[in-house]
Amino acid sequence: MARRPLRIVLAEDSALLREGLVGILERAGHEVVASATDADELVAAVRADPPDVVITDVRMPPGHSDEGLRAAAAIRREQPALPILVLSQYVADAYLPALMDSAGTAGIGYLLKDRVGRVADFLASLDQVVEGQTVVDPEVVRQLLARRSDDGPLAALTTREREVLALMAEGRTNGSIAEALFVSDAAVRKHVGSIFAKLDLGDDHDRRVSAVLTYLRG
Amino acid sequence: MTSATRTSPVWSAVGGNPVRLVFSPWPWRSLAYLLSGAVVGLVSLVGFFVTIGVGVVTTPLIIGLFILGSLPKLGAMIAVVERRRLPFVLGDAAAPEPSDTPWWRTPRDAASWRALGYAVLLALVLWVVDLLVAVLVVTFVVVSLLSPLLAHFDTVGMLWWQLDSTREAVPFAIIATPVGLVLGSYVLTVLAAAQSSLARILLSPREEELEARVTELRRSRIELVDAFETERKRIERDLHDGVQQRMVALTMLLGRAELDVPEGEGLALVRQAHSEAEAALADLREVVRGVHPRVLTDLGLGAAIREVADRMPIPVRVDVSLDERPPAQVEAAAYFVVSEGLANVAKHAQARSAAIHARRSGDSLVLVISDDGRGGATVGEGTGLSGLVTRLDALGGTLTVTSPVGGPTELRMESPWHVDR
């Protein structure tokens, strides 16, 4: 996919990581228009000059708990279409509902900080978020997959369908899912259709994200 | 009088066979106790007299006030001596030391005032009674034994009897000496027992003081748990804000280097270094989570337990419904019980599934971990659970394992919801 230079607001309280992130983003041709070191600064910077995408740490001063998430939710309430990529140091899916529920669906990413080191993957995920997709860290998805829900809409899915759904949650295309599962594109399309049917998701173009969200909430 | 007093050997001797009492060491011990008590009492009287006298005289010079103020210390000093004397009569039922503080650093508490009261009582009344009774008894027995001899020289007056000759005195001596011995033994022993029991009661820490000490002990243990918890959090924070950040920064640097280093052996090395750094980071994340999980602090017990459950290789049903968060120490203890309990399930139980229930029951947190494994588990035996038992104990909670061979195993934790200090 063709990358265009993005205007980014970055929130990260550790100078070390902030510099690393700025280095990676600028090398990719993006522009970090503002970097914030706490949640209030982040919200103020986004208000002052809305960027193309916000990248924020979960844990931020002053409380060092989930201020970054809460700032992200506040930003989305004001600008529902603004893509946000959240970086976390922990593999904790417990943070996801807070992010997803308050911040809507499209254009949300939740990645482990380790992932940033895989520069190409990280930049691709960033692009996907900007394009309005939902991207969740494979590690977190694996954890979610391990959770067996006895009830809920996901109970109706087959193992293979869950696998497909998990890969969709990572923001993958049908082609890349087919590659990962060693099946044909047609088979993936069939599974995706079946998932949509079982989860009773209409026919709108956003249903891929809806399916993922249902999965995450399951 | 407490049961300990009644079961003390001297009281048993008083209640037992009178002949045996007379020939037992108790009358002699009692006599020694009373006579030494008379000495202590006399010395105490002099001590009080001198202290109060000097104190009153020098009061205009201010120093007298300090001397008078030292009266409780004098009481404490006498109490120390008296406590030493108690085992002589009471044996193991003697008064325990109320505290480890020496008498010269006596606190102004109820125990000190009771000790002073006892010392005054000893100095003014008890020693006189002791001396009088001891002298009377000894004199009566000795005189009645020797009355045939004494009557030969002079008239012997004994209580209501007038003995003018040896002939009169012999039957008297034959009857009065054994009666005097038995009665005297009883009088001496009962008096010594009664007085030592009184001393024991006045010089022992009272129940509320013991309770206060227990409370203090509990508080210090909870403080220890707190300190432990704070330290864990500090280590977690240090690792997170220090080492982990640097490792992440390192992987970012290596990621950038991969883009800039030209294809070849150099790039292969950079990629290898990157993989190693990522593996180290993953290990470090596990360590940090083991030290103190961030999710527990941020989102509470339910979320943290679900996270542990998600990492289990077998399905774990989590049913945590708590309307509010318990105190941090209780939360942490519960989390580590779950974490350790599930680790044991994974290691030993050969279970197909497990379940965790946590709920509030009145003023307690009740947490149950059950599995359908082979059973036969116990707390201890090198499991990490024994440390948790100590920790729960400090909070006033319990940990019990029900695990018949063949299963199922149930690990049940109960802890007070509020940690009282």
Side-chain angles (χ1 to χ4, degrees):
Chain A
M1 61 196 81
R3 275 184 196 149
R4 61 188 172 90
L6 297 168
R7 298 177 68 255
I8 300 168
V9 169
L10 175 66
E12 166 63 65
D13 60 307
S14 154
L16 205 61
L17 297 190
R18 203 166 52 235
E19 271 168 37
L21 276 164
V22 170
I24 287 171
L25 292 168
E26 286 183 346
R27 198 189 176 287
H30 300 312
E31 186 194 353
V32 178
V33 290
S35 35
T37 55
D38 67 44
D40 293 341
E41 242 180 80
L42 168 62
V43 175
V46 172
R47 264 188 209 140
D49 181 14
D52 296 324
V53 59
V54 171
I55 300 177
T56 178
D57 188 6
V58 169
R59 200 180 180 191
M60 297 268 272
H64 287 285
S65 71
D66 57 353
E67 279 84 352
L69 273 184
R70 276 187 261 139
I75 290 169
R76 286 286 285 224
R77 270 196 298 278
E78 285 177 28
Q79 302 178 46
L82 183 59
I84 295 182
L85 177 59
V86 174
L87 298 178
S88 170
Q89 200 116 300
Y90 321 98
V91 195
D93 56 52
Y95 293 100
L96 270 176
L99 183 65
M100 298 293 179
D101 289 348
S102 57
T105 60
I108 291 284
Y110 179 80
L111 286 184
L112 266 185
K113 278 189 186 167
D114 307 22
R115 236 42 86 179
V116 180
R118 299 276 167 199
V119 177
D121 291 350
F122 167 66
L123 292 173
S125 298
L126 183 64
D127 285 340
Q128 285 179 324
V129 170
V130 172
E131 282 161 19
Q133 295 184 34
T134 309
V135 178
V136 177
D137 195 277
E139 192 70 37
V140 177
V141 170
R142 197 167 309 139
Q143 203 173 86
L144 284 164
L145 190 67
R147 181 180 295 173
R148 285 109 170 132
S149 43
D150 302 335
D151 42 8
L154 293 176
L157 300 187
T158 64
T159 312
R160 179 42 63 96
E161 283 162 359
R162 284 187 191 209
E163 280 170 14
V164 172
L165 186 53
L167 292 168
M168 280 164 62
E170 287 173 22
R172 298 218 198 183
T173 60
N174 283 359
S176 128
I177 293 171
E179 221 170 275
L181 297 178
F182 304 107
V183 294
S184 66
D185 274 24
V188 172
R189 269 199 302 279
K190 209 186 95 213
H191 287 310
V192 171
S194 162
I195 292 167
F196 288 163
K198 282 181 179 173
L199 298 185
D200 200 14
L201 305 165
D203 223 11
D204 63 306
H205 72 284
D206 206 26
R207 61 186 180 172
R208 200 178 175 96
V209 170
S210 304
V212 169
L213 273 171
T214 307
Y215 176 70
L216 292 177
R217 284 176 183 141
Chain B
M1 231 172 266
T2 62
S3 57
T5 311
R6 281 201 197 93
T7 54
S8 71
V10 64
W11 284 110
S12 319
V14 170
N17 186 332
V19 177
R20 202 173 293 163
L21 174 73
V22 174
F23 292 105
S24 76
W26 289 116
W28 296 104
R29 278 177 173 247
S30 301
L31 183 63
Y33 178 78
L34 293 176
L35 287 176
S36 63
V39 175
V40 175
L42 182 60
V43 171
S44 303
L45 180 65
V46 172
F48 276 119
F49 188 76
V50 169
T51 308
I52 293 172
V54 172
V56 169
V57 168
T58 55
T59 294
L61 303 172
I62 307 300
I63 190 171
L65 294 176
F66 288 99
I67 293 174
L68 289 175
S70 72
L71 278 174
K73 290 195 197 319
L74 186 61
M77 203 159 68
I78 295 165
V80 168
V81 176
E82 285 299 282
R83 272 194 212 99
R84 293 276 150 74
R85 288 192 328 114
L86 285 177
F88 198 61
V89 183
L90 291 178
D92 292 339
E97 296 288 321
S99 66
D100 304 329
T101 47
W103 61 267
W104 61 86
R105 261 192 262 133
T106 314
R108 297 286 161 91
D109 59 8
S112 305
W113 292 118
R114 278 205 312 277
L116 180 61
Y118 173 80
V120 171
L121 194 65
L122 179 72
L124 293 183
V125 182
L126 296 180
W127 78 270
V128 183
V129 175
D130 292 354
L131 192 62
L132 213 65
V133 170
V135 168
L136 262 177
V137 167
V138 171
T139 310
F140 182 83
V141 173
V142 169
V143 170
S144 49
L145 186 66
L146 299 180
S147 59
L149 189 66
L150 296 172
H152 180 69
F153 300 104
D154 198 359
T155 303
V156 177
M158 285 286 285
L159 304 178
W160 305 277
W161 296 281
Q162 191 84 23
L163 306 173
D164 297 320
S165 66
T166 308
R167 223 153 56 82
E168 267 179 52
V170 169
F172 177 82
I174 290 172
I175 297 166
T177 309
V179 171
L181 267 176
V182 173
L183 275 181
S185 297
Y186 268 96
V187 169
L188 289 179
T189 312
V190 169
L191 182 65
Q195 198 180 311
S196 59
S197 296
L198 175 72
R200 196 187 75 92
I201 289 163
L202 286 176
L203 300 180
S204 293
R206 285 251 170 98
E207 223 152 277
E208 64 261 34
E209 284 159 55
L210 283 175
E211 242 165 54
R213 289 176 67 192
V214 169
T215 308
E216 198 184 310
L217 204 67
R218 244 175 73 78
R219 193 175 53 226
S220 71
R221 285 176 66 176
I222 289 170
E223 270 164 17
L224 216 61
V225 172
D226 274 356
F228 184 60
E229 213 39 57
T230 311
E231 192 61 9
R232 278 187 101 112
K233 279 187 188 159
R234 189 189 63 76
I235 293 169
E236 184 263 337
R237 212 169 34 240
D238 284 358
L239 284 176
H240 181 85
D241 293 339
V243 186
Q244 235 177 345
Q245 304 263 20
R246 281 183 186 277
M247 288 296 296
V248 171
L250 177 65
T251 57
M252 285 184 194
L253 267 179
L254 289 168
R256 282 164 71 185
E258 274 169 35
L259 297 179
D260 292 335
V261 173
E263 198 73 47
E265 206 175 318
L267 183 60
L269 279 174
V270 171
R271 288 209 170 114
Q272 202 183 333
H274 194 168
S275 302
E276 286 299 322
E278 280 186 335
L281 196 51
D283 287 351
L284 183 62
R285 209 166 35 224
E286 285 303 311
V287 171
V288 171
R289 182 162 33 210
V291 171
H292 193 99
R294 179 44 51 176
V295 178
L296 180 63
T297 316
D298 288 352
L299 301 174
L301 195 55
I305 289 179
R306 256 170 234 118
E307 213 205 327
V308 182
D310 284 347
R311 291 203 306 273
M312 284 287 286
I314 55 166
V316 179
R317 225 152 50 75
V318 179
D319 170 24
V320 178
S321 47
L322 304 170
D323 45 355
E324 57 169 320
R325 289 181 66 168
Q329 309 99 319
V330 177
E331 234 179 19
Y335 172 83
F336 287 111
V337 165
V338 169
S339 166
E340 195 61 43
L342 284 185
N344 288 342
V345 169
K347 264 186 269 175
H348 312 297
Q350 296 173 352
R352 283 183 310 280
S353 71
I356 301 167
H357 295 270
R359 62 175 197 282
R360 185 177 184 158
S361 166
D363 210 32
S364 310
L365 172 68
V366 179
L367 187 144
V368 178
I369 305 166
S370 48
D371 69 60
D372 58 0
R374 62 193 172 121
T378 49
V379 172
E381 286 176 14
T383 64
L385 288 174
S386 44
L388 286 163
V389 170
T390 316
R391 201 158 142 169
L392 272 171
D393 198 32
L395 298 172
T398 53
L399 190 67
T400 45
V401 176
T402 327
S403 183
V405 174
T409 299
E410 192 186 273
L411 183 63
R412 184 186 179 89
M413 167 194 155
E414 277 187 55
S415 164
W417 189 276
H418 296 286
V419 180
D420 298 321
R421 286 158 185 273

